[in-house]
């Protein structure tokens, strides 16, 4: 089955993509670029670098802009899925949804309207097992956004390796935040994945941070040999 | 041992982690032994050794299981507790002659309890996660236990512990699966 993967550049969409590669045929990646920093559906820091990640993975990218107005952006998602179906013949969509019934239900409805299958391979995943599998499988993931106490500026740009995972585990227990960042506490950016032919080198980045809210803005990045 | 039946479009499919694994995780947490089989591979030894069965859901577009009703005839003589979830409810109802009717609900929906049953004891209304395009026409041997504003959400056989749920209890209503496991444990020899 030819599938399009809803792609934010973060760990969940990349891991879902990897699951899809192993079971079906990934035909393209699909990115909705939101201008609205409050968007529940699509806003992520560094979404513009999805094109570089797609190039690293060797998949075509369908990119659609949205103003990010609450229900309007769903029409933009529909437009993106239609474009992916037209250009690459996708029969289904893969998402990285884990817990959000808000996001999952909206994508399900659009897929139904378009007659597309909908896959959520991380749905209700055990957070501990998922994070272990992510690291064990060879994903290199950096923290690109923090949106909750107790994350200070030093967390921006940190790689999620086993040591960082241990710290996240302790924080998750103490502060009632999710280990995966599913509650919106963290955003991530994937610089390497098992299916990347090349990996991403962050050449220049800046941090914008205030009161437990911050993002790592990747100003310049390129592909390098693995 | 609980027999977990995967109704997805093929064994080991991309849908497995979405519809089967969450149920398996509840069983693991409850320290309940289980065996998972794809619906095309359920064999007599599996049925013989099972104390109960859970039929899992499928993706909205995934209706292939409905084309092979003969693979669900074992439900007619199983006689031990069964929990059919969403597509699993449709398969259970179909085995007992129940049809389906169009009824699309996607997202969180309020479920109202209609009749007393140990599965929903103490609950009058609760929100549940739905992803379905069809509901069941309740077969004659079953009663409706719960409903949304639009369709029947839960059924039970009149004399056997066979349950069908149209919503996904593994999403925000794990307590229902846990109660079912308690019921299965009490009935186990």
């Amino acid at each position: 089955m030819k599938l399009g993967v809803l792609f934010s550049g973060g760990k969940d969409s990349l891991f879902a993509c990897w699951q899809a590669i192993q079971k079906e045929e990934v035909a393209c990646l699909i990115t909705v670029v939101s201008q609205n920093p409050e968007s529940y559906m699509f806003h992520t820091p560094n979404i513009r670098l999805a094109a570089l990640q797609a190039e690293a993975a060797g998949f075509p990218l369908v990119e659609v802009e949205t103003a990010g107005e609450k229900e309007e952006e769903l029409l933009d998602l529909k437009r993106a899925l239609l474009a992916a179906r037209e250009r690459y013949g996708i029969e289904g969509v893969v998402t990285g949804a884990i817990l959000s019934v808000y996001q999952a239900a909206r994508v399900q409805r659009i897929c139904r309207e378009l007659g597309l299958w909908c896959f959520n391979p991380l749905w209700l995943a055990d957070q501990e097992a998922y994070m272990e599998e992510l690291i064990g499988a060879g994903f290199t993931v950096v923290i690109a956004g923090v949106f909750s106490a107790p994350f200070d500026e030093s967390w921006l740009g940190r790689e999620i390796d086993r040591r960082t995972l241990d710290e996240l585990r302790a924080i998750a227990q103490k502060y009632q935040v999710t280990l995966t960042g599913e509650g919106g506490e963290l955003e991530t950016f994937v610089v390497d994945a098992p299916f990347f032919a090349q990996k991403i080198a962050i050449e220049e980045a800046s941090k914008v941070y205030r009161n437990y809210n911050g993002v790592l803005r990747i100003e310049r990045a390129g592909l390098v040999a693995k | 041992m609980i027999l977990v039946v995967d109704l997805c479009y093929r064994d080991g499919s991309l849908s497995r982690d979405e519809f089967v694994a969450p149920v398996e995780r509840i069983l693991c947490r409850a320290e309940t032994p289980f065996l998972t089989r794809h619906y095309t591979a359920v064999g007599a030894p599996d049925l013989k050794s099972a104390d109960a069965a859970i039929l899992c859901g499928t993706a909205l577009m995934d209706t292939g299981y409905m084309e092979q009703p003969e693979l669900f005839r074992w439900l007619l003589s199983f006689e031990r507790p069964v929990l059919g979830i969403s597509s699993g409810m449709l398969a259970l109802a179909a085995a007992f002659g129940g049809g389906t009717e169009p009824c699309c609900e996607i997202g969180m929906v309020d479920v109202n309890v209609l009749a007393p049953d140990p599965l929903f004891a103490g609950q009058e209304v609760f929100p549940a996660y739905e992803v379905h395009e069809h509901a069941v026409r309740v077969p004659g041997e079953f009663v409706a236990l719960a409903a949304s504003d639009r369709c029947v959400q839960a059924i039970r056989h009149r004399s056997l512990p066979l349950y069908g749920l149209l919503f996904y209890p593994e999403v925000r209503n794990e307590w229902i699966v846990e109660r079912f496991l308690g019921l299965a444990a009490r009935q186990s020899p």
Side-chain angles (χ1 to χ4, degrees), chain A residues 164-176:
Chain A
T164 305
L165 186 59
D166 283 342
E167 285 182 53
L168 283 173
R169 215 175 265 133
I171 287 170
Q173 278 179 353
K174 190 172 174 187
Y175 291 87
Q176 303 293 314

Side-chain angles (χ1 to χ4, degrees), chain A residues 23-185:
Chain A
K23 304 268 174 84
E24 301 291 344
E25 179 189 349
V26 171
C28 65
L29 308 179
I30 302 162
T31 293
V32 180
V33 181
S34 177
Q35 308 299 329
N36 179 1
E38 303 299 323
S39 167
Y40 284 104
M41 287 292 286
F42 304 118
H43 185 75
T44 46
N46 307 305
I47 189 70
R48 293 283 177 196
L49 289 171
L52 195 62
Q53 291 169 311
E55 190 183 339
F59 291 123
L61 178 70
V62 175
E63 201 174 49
V64 165
E65 303 262 344
T66 180
E69 317 262 319
K70 199 156 183 180
E71 296 303 321
E72 284 291 307
E73 64 183 2
L74 296 179
L75 295 176
D76 296 319
L77 172 60
K78 191 171 170 183
R79 193 158 50 88
L81 299 188
L82 277 168
R85 190 172 70 180
E86 207 171 286
R87 279 183 232 162
Y88 302 106
I90 63 163
E91 301 157 86
V93 171
V94 180
T95 89
I98 302 178
L99 281 173
S100 170
V101 295
Y102 175 90
Q103 288 185 346
R106 275 156 181 75
V107 177
Q108 289 275 8
R109 284 191 199 113
I110 294 171
C111 285
R112 177 180 175 264
E113 275 181 48
L114 301 180
L116 293 169
W117 286 63
C118 185
F119 295 98
N120 303 285
L122 293 177
W123 189 235
L124 305 178
D126 176 82
Q127 300 198 20
E128 181 73 39
Y130 164 45
M131 294 301 281
E132 283 289 345
E133 204 179 339
L134 185 79
I135 294 169
F139 283 80
T140 308
V141 180
V142 296
I143 295 174
V146 294
F147 307 99
S148 165
F151 297 111
D152 62 24
E153 193 173 348
S154 72
W155 283 87
L156 293 171
R158 271 182 75 168
E159 183 185 329
I160 303 182
D161 54 16
R162 288 224 150 74
R163 200 175 124 248
T164 305
L165 186 59
D166 283 342
E167 285 182 53
L168 283 173
R169 215 175 265 133
I171 287 170
Q173 278 179 353
K174 190 172 174 187
Y175 291 87
Q176 303 293 314
V177 298
T178 61
L179 189 61
T180 57
E182 173 73 3
E185 307 93 341

Side-chain angles (χ1 to χ4, degrees), chain A residues 200-226:
Chain A
I200 291 169
I202 298 173
E203 293 156 359
E204 195 183 323
S206 60
K207 295 176 182 179
V208 182
Y209 180 89
R210 195 180 170 192
N211 292 337
Y212 302 113
N213 272 272
V215 292
L216 179 77
R217 290 197 193 288
I218 301 171
E219 318 281 1
R220 206 154 45 85
L223 297 179
V224 295
K226 289 174 78 165

Side-chain angles (χ1 to χ4, degrees), chain B residues 106-124:
Chain B
I106 297 174
M108 297 304 291
V109 167
D110 278 345
V111 172
N112 300 286
V113 177
L114 304 174
D117 187 90
L119 211 56
F120 300 122
Q123 299 283 334
E124 287 179 13

Side-chain angles (χ1 to χ4, degrees), chain A residues 1 3 16 19-20 23-24 91 94 99 101 104-106 108-109 112 115-126, chain B residues 9-10 12-19 22 25 29 59-63 104 106-108 129 131-133 170-172:
Chain A
M1 194 186 306
L3 301 175
Q19 302 283 84
K23 304 268 174 84
E24 301 291 344
E91 301 157 86
V94 180
L99 281 173
V101 295
R106 275 156 181 75
Q108 289 275 8
R109 284 191 199 113
R112 177 180 175 264
L116 293 169
W117 286 63
C118 185
F119 295 98
N120 303 285
L122 293 177
W123 189 235
L124 305 178
D126 176 82
Chain B
Y9 59 101
R10 71 160 185 264
S13 74
L14 185 56
S15 288
R16 191 196 186 285
D17 283 344
E18 184 175 351
F19 296 100
R25 277 192 285 276
R29 280 197 294 273
L60 210 52
M61 295 280 286
D62 189 350
T63 55
C104 182
I106 297 174
M108 297 304 291
Y129 185 63
V131 185
H132 61 85
E133 277 197 295
E170 63 268 38
V171 184
R172 301 189 180 184

